[in-house]
Amino acid sequence: MGAVAEKRNSTAFRDSANKALGLNPQDANISKAYLLVGFIALLLGGLMGVIQGLNRAGVLELPTWLNYYQILTAHGLLLVVVMSSFITIGYFYAGFSHTLGGLLPKVRKMAWIGFGLKIFGFVLVVIPVLMNEASVMYTFYPPMAAHPMFYFGLVFIVLGVWMLAAGAFVNVANWRKNNKGQHLPILAFFGTGVFVLLVGATAIVAVEVIFMIIPWTLGWVDGINVMVSRTLFWAFGHTAVNIWYLTAVSAWYVIIPKIIGGTRFNDYLTRVVVIALVIMNITGGFHHQIIDPGISLSIKYMHVFMSLAIGFPSLMTAYAMFRVFERTGRRKGGKGALGWLRKLPWGDVRFLAPFIAMAAFIPAGAGGIVQSTNQLNQVAHNTMWVVGHFHLTLGMTVVMTFFGISYWLVPLVFKRVLTPAMNKVGVIQTILWTIGMTIMAFSMHAVGLFGSPRRTSFTTYGDFSSTLGWDPYMAAIGVGAVMLAIAGVLQIYAVFNMMFFAPKGKTEFPIADVEPDEAPTPYFTERWGVWVVLMLIVVAMAYVPPLIDMIVNAPPGSPPFKTW
């Protein structure tokens, strides 16, 4: 009993010290490294983006040594894989440290090993991309084949993710062992869901890369089953985007209420939303193949339902967040139907950026529903509409939330403060990013409806009259890309200022409390083993029947092609 009491006292002391310090300095170093890499990736990926936008607008001709599809590949990998994942991991590892009383020493080691594996993997990926030997874009669809080094790099990235996920699970398990019967702190609860999804999604793409693509690119097998590889990719690819979305949602539920001076929405509902998003997420990837041949109508019908099911927790989130805003605004004196809106801190970039991100998810989510349905997808599939939807979802909803997070997380881990000047830079940057993304995404949606294809470099199609009508929209895409580039540079400037030049001081980790009279949350929400089993059952229902059919009735395998 004495040892148990001593251990509890030690844990309590560590919790208190952590709250006083904001973050253990050794743990802060981990988040610093991940955030630094994440924002450097934003700078490089953003540069690739503006070059792409100006090329598609027809105002920038690429030199002969630089391939359009190289830029497209680098842009996708840097922003979707590197920036998003590194900021997510830096954010959640800071959250684990703060809410679980610090990271265990072995978890710190695992986090640094994971960092090393991911960086080594990205170096292996980048080399063939720079050599124009891997311009296969973010989707890396077979039968397009990159240099084998590209795929070996992906393997190391996945190994890094698994190491980080294992570290997160070890720390969570240790906390639960020492706090039996208590609910996992809400930010750690979100983090657990994110790492469960990361393991699930990367396990699927690992099967594709290790057992199909690498033997194929090394010449050990003659052909590859293109349908199976596409299916495995989208089980990963769409889930990856939703993982970044769940990360943004965690900030909306947990952080934003504190920043605006309010309280969290119902804790029970919040945990149910996380559980629902974890169980139903991976199956959502199949709607990318809704018009692919070789898949039965019954399977497609089931997947339309499964894809649309993800919308329910999103609708619950929309209600919850606007209820929090209204409740807080009214407590601050807001009157009338919309008077509470005036009481929200619009001049605080930590709120402004995530709020616009939430608002952007309304059209982004609606676009996603369009693409989940067979008939409407027939119109939008493989057009610029999809690119516009992707930029609204990831580039606006997720990235703007990450920007908002950076204005308190970066000062917190670097032991500095957000100054009024940097807050003003952030507000200007948020407005510029919003206008630029609105112009670009709207133009992409519109020109997509007119038939302009995606994944295509600049062409006038022999000055064909119909396609020349796309030109004004392409010019607008270029204008939007330039504005985004300027906003991106401002964001990088603000982040590096907060890292190295802002005044030293203490920044609070803003985690909101629930309402004082709220009913206790049922403990069954903590049954993570049950939620993971349910997730696996749903994934099996969605993917086993079509994959068996694709393997048993496999089309002829395809040899590798280099199409660029």
Side-chain angles (χ1 to χ4, degrees), residues 203-463:
I204 293 169
V205 79
V207 170
E208 180 198 3
V209 170
I210 295 173
F211 296 106
M212 296 181 68
I213 296 181
I214 288 180
W216 175 62
T217 54
L218 290 175
W220 296 348
V221 294
D222 294 330
I224 191 168
N225 188 323
V226 172
M227 290 175 65
V228 171
S229 64
R230 279 174 65 88
T231 303
L232 294 177
F233 173 81
W234 277 119
F236 153 77
H238 188 83
T239 307
V241 175
N242 275 332
I243 289 168
W244 317 144
Y245 165 67
L246 181 56
T247 305
V249 168
S250 76
W252 300 351
Y253 272 104
V254 181
I255 308 297
I256 298 304
K258 180 73 171 180
I259 287 173
I260 64 175
T263 52
R264 281 200 285 125
F265 195 73
N266 185 278
D267 185 74
Y268 184 13
L269 178 139
T270 306
R271 290 174 197 263
V272 169
V273 165
V274 176
I275 293 165
L277 285 171
V278 168
I279 292 174
M280 298 191 293
N281 228 324
I282 295 178
T283 56
F286 214 105
H287 75 258
H288 289 261
Q289 298 171 265
I290 205 80
I291 63 169
D292 275 13
I295 303 171
S296 71
L297 286 177
S298 58
I299 291 293
K300 289 182 178 179
Y301 182 79
M302 178 178 73
H303 279 279
V304 168
F305 175 77
M306 285 185 158
S307 298
L308 294 179
I310 304 174
F312 288 104
S314 297
L315 290 173
M316 291 162 70
T317 299
Y319 172 78
M321 295 317 303
F322 279 92
R323 179 71 185 93
V324 167
F325 296 149
E326 183 191 7
R327 186 168 65 192
T328 306
R330 292 199 185 283
R331 283 178 179 167
K332 291 183 174 181
K335 305 290 184 186
L338 297 174
W340 50 271
L341 278 169
R342 291 199 298 271
K343 300 295 179 179
L344 299 177
W346 299 107
D348 187 339
V349 66
R350 300 171 305 164
F351 165 70
L352 180 66
F355 180 88
I356 294 174
M358 291 179 213
F361 193 63
I362 297 171
I369 290 172
V370 166
Q371 287 150 229
S372 300
T373 56
N374 187 52
Q375 290 83 355
L376 293 175
N377 198 294
Q378 301 272 352
V379 178
H381 195 78
N382 271 338
T383 73
M384 288 292 282
W385 166 286
V386 176
V387 187
H389 165 72
F390 193 63
H391 280 82
L392 264 189
T393 307
L394 190 70
M396 193 79 170
T397 303
V398 172
V399 172
M400 285 276 282
T401 302
F402 285 3
F403 288 170
I405 289 171
S406 73
Y407 286 96
W408 59 264
L409 182 57
V410 170
L412 184 146
V413 297
F414 282 83
K415 290 190 177 300
R416 295 180 187 272
V417 294
L418 172 64
T419 62
M422 279 308 107
N423 183 67
K424 191 172 182 180
V425 168
V427 170
I428 295 170
Q429 179 267 333
T430 299
I431 293 169
L432 267 177
W433 188 275
T434 303
I435 296 172
M437 192 62 83
T438 302
I439 292 172
M440 193 170 83
F442 173 79
S443 304
M444 287 173 167
H445 278 88
V447 79
L449 291 178
F450 292 133
S452 178
R454 58 177 168 147
R455 298 191 179 110
T456 305
S457 61
F458 174 72
T459 174
T460 63
Y461 297 91
D463 289 338

Side-chain angles (χ1 to χ4, degrees), residues 1-10:
M1 289 297 291
V4 172
E6 186 179 342
K7 193 170 184 178
R8 283 179 179 164
N9 289 337
S10 173

